[in-house]
Amino acid sequence: MSLGFLNFMEFNCSICGAIVVLLVCTSLVSGGDIVHQDSVAPSRPGCNNNFVLVKIPIWVDGIEVTEFVGVGARFGPTLESKEKRANQTRLAFADPPDCCSKPRNTLTGEAILVHRGNCSFTTKTNVAEDAGASAILIINNQTELFKMVCEPDEPDLDIGIPAVMLPQHAGTSLIQFLGNSSSVSVQLYSPKRPTVDVAEVFLWLMAVATILCASYWSAWRAREAAIEQDKLLKDGSNECNGTEVSRSGVVLEISIISAVLFVVVASCFLIMLYKLMSSWFIEVLVVLFSIGGVEGLQTCLVALLSCFRWFERFGESFIKIPFLGPVSYLTLAISPFCIVFAVLWVVYRRISFAWIGQDILGIALIITVLQIVQVPNLKVGTVLLSCALLYDLFWVFLSKPLFHKSVMIVVARGDKSGEDGIPMLLKIPRMFDPWGGYSIIGFGDIILPGLLVAFSLRYDWLCNKKLREGYFLWAMFAYGLGLLTTYVALNLMDGHGQPALLYIVPFTLGTFLTLGKQRGDLKHLWTRGEPDRPCPHVRLQPE
């Protein structure tokens, strides 16, 4: 490894204190979640529909101008799932607007648009049906969608028209269209989501491949450092006398205290994100992510190109730069490309294929972090993952009673920011989902278990363990299985956000602890993280 590259890695260590910013969003979430209050919603005959999202294309004077999304009610008939089978119906505005009493305007099969309030949802729907409406669209008094349920004391219902809740902005637009004396028509249908989308498969492969690459790079660096240490010991003395030589100055080892502090610091930052979530704050996160992405992409490219003979001379020749010290010519040559790449992503991050650039920068950053930050032994890894699991569970599930919303999911989606989520995520657009959106995974769901997986391969290589006899293969398999279980749970929960570490941590940590106990390696894994090494030399090449 060239001196210029080592100096550059040392510079990266100076920014590792900000890496916790990139670890706060550790839950899997899925687009299309509905904000609702229906924990005590009664279910009985006439009021037992599944809540479904509803697509509502809008035509003004015969021209389709836009499309809104609503949510179907617990009561009423089910909606058609195919667009070609759904009827196009004229829209009328209720008079009175709340539709709590018989409308003054005559209805002949139109869909009626009403305001929420002053009476129950079922009362409005019954009044609209009796007046001759074919459907009722109820405008919410908030920007969020609300699941309409029956009142606890209502008798069994027999409602024959569909009822759909619209967000406030959609109702405002429809009222404006109707106020311009235009002919407005709507269509109501609820397409079904596929059970499994191809995007989830690719995202799973992306996460597993990222940890795989980072683990091999980390193990290679550890082996090279151990070889150098053995050479120094052999050349300097015939007896070790307990002397240890530092492996490298470019690695930050996590301690138990820092593992616990991670939860505290990350929680404070998550609350700050939740409270300050806005367009300007997202811009700050974009800048931070871009800086980290440039560092990560530059580090990965320099390390990759240094492996080729054509670039070896440029990697070993370096120039002294103020504040940075010696930097290789290869690093200087790569830097402009990385900066331009990140800037282009920032400028065009709202276009449809910008997710590709975000994923490239994110993967490079994750791999770089897994080289700089390491767990020294299984004890620290256990504390870190256990704390992270508690952190994930609290901010995804247990934060709802305190903040009325899941703080983690709100932050991940970037609510009230005008953006499609925060940038500290890997994401792929759902390819066959009629509702669109992205399948996403937080950086922490890769970095935190990745620290343990990378540790397992370093241990295997230093112990000269074969693949099946070591821990890396099983740790990698456990991570993949845990992430797969997360996606299964995600689909079973109808796309609602899931804390991935809830499934990944028991699989990876449980596999490691069980194998270590059975093989008698648990003591070394727990305290040292490496085998007892004879002096002055040990063979480090894997078999």
Side-chain angles (χ1 to χ4, degrees), residues 158-366:
D158 184 18
I159 295 176
I161 63 173
V164 178
M165 173 69 72
L166 288 175
Q168 189 176 46
H169 69 89
T172 302
S173 298
L174 290 175
I175 293 174
Q176 184 178 359
F177 291 148
L178 292 169
N180 293 332
S181 300
S182 302
S183 174
V184 181
S185 300
V186 298
Q187 191 178 26
L188 307 179
Y189 67 102
S190 179
K192 296 180 179 179
R193 279 195 168 109
T195 304
V196 178
D197 193 89
V198 178
E200 295 175 354
V201 178
F202 283 110
L203 197 62
W204 182 90
L205 292 173
M206 187 185 300
V208 171
T210 299
I211 290 183
L212 188 67
C213 294
S215 298
Y216 271 94
W217 188 10
S218 178
W220 176 79
R221 290 184 58 210
R223 186 179 63 185
E224 291 295 308
I227 291 174
E228 289 296 324
Q229 178 177 338
D230 286 340
K231 288 181 179 179
L232 291 174
L233 292 173
K234 184 178 180 180
D235 295 339
S237 172
N238 291 327
E239 296 182 0
C240 288
N241 294 326
T243 303
E244 294 186 1
V245 180
S246 177
R247 287 186 179 180
S248 176
V250 298
V251 173
L252 296 179
E253 289 189 343
I254 300 175
S255 64
I256 292 179
I257 295 177
S258 59
V260 175
L261 286 177
F262 160 77
V263 178
V264 179
V265 175
S267 297
C268 294
F269 191 82
L270 190 65
I271 294 175
M272 184 175 65
L273 284 175
Y274 178 76
K275 294 295 185 180
L276 299 179
M277 184 62 65
S278 60
S279 57
W280 70 267
F281 198 72
I282 290 291
E283 296 291 338
V284 173
L285 295 180
V286 168
V287 172
L288 292 175
F289 171 75
S290 301
I291 294 173
V294 168
E295 298 292 345
L297 185 60
Q298 187 172 247
T299 301
C300 292
L301 288 178
V302 170
L304 180 63
L305 293 177
S306 297
C307 298
F308 295 94
R309 185 173 54 186
W310 306 287
F311 299 98
E312 186 176 355
R313 182 166 58 90
F314 297 100
E316 294 178 350
S317 303
F318 50 91
I319 183 174
K320 191 172 183 180
I321 297 179
F323 304 109
L324 297 182
V327 178
S328 69
Y329 286 101
L330 182 58
T331 300
L332 293 178
I334 291 295
S335 296
F337 167 78
C338 299
I339 294 173
V340 170
F341 186 92
V343 170
L344 288 175
W345 173 79
V346 171
V347 174
Y348 297 104
R349 69 182 185 276
R350 293 183 178 89
I351 62 178
S352 60
F353 54 86
W355 61 272
I356 300 175
Q358 179 174 327
D359 287 350
I360 292 174
L361 293 173
I363 290 173
L365 178 57
I366 291 171

Side-chain angles (χ1 to χ4, degrees), residues 80-121:
E80 179 59 56
S81 61
K82 302 291 184 180
E83 180 180 9
K84 61 183 179 181
R85 297 179 184 174
N87 295 324
Q88 186 174 329
T89 309
R90 290 195 61 182
L91 183 68
F93 189 54
D95 182 18
D98 58 14
C99 199
C100 290
S101 58
K102 184 178 179 180
R104 301 185 184 95
N105 45 335
T106 304
L107 300 176
T108 57
E110 293 90 347
I112 190 170
L113 182 68
V114 308
H115 281 294
R116 176 183 176 183
N118 299 330
C119 61
S120 68
F121 297 124

Side-chain angles (χ1 to χ4, degrees), residues 35 144 277-278 405 409-419 421:
V35 180
E144 301 164 341
M277 184 62 65
S278 60
K405 296 178 182 178
I409 293 178
V410 169
V411 170
R413 291 189 310 206
D415 290 1
K416 302 179 182 179
S417 66
E419 295 273 354

Side-chain angles (χ1 to χ4, degrees), residues 36 53-54 65-66 88 123 148 181 191 264 298 308 322-323 326 350 425 428 437 460 478 486 532-533 543:
H36 58 91
L53 291 174
V54 181
V65 294
T66 187
Q88 186 174 329
T123 299
M148 296 183 290
S181 300
V264 179
Q298 187 172 247
F308 295 94
F323 304 109
R350 293 183 178 89
L425 301 163
I428 297 179
D460 287 353
T486 303
D532 291 326
R533 300 176 57 204
E543 296 181 0

Side-chain angles (χ1 to χ4, degrees), residues 10 69 290 322 377 445 455 481 510 527 530 541:
E10 288 174 356
V69 175
S290 301
N377 51 53
D445 297 328
F455 163 75
L481 187 59
T527 57
E530 61 180 30
Q541 297 296 332

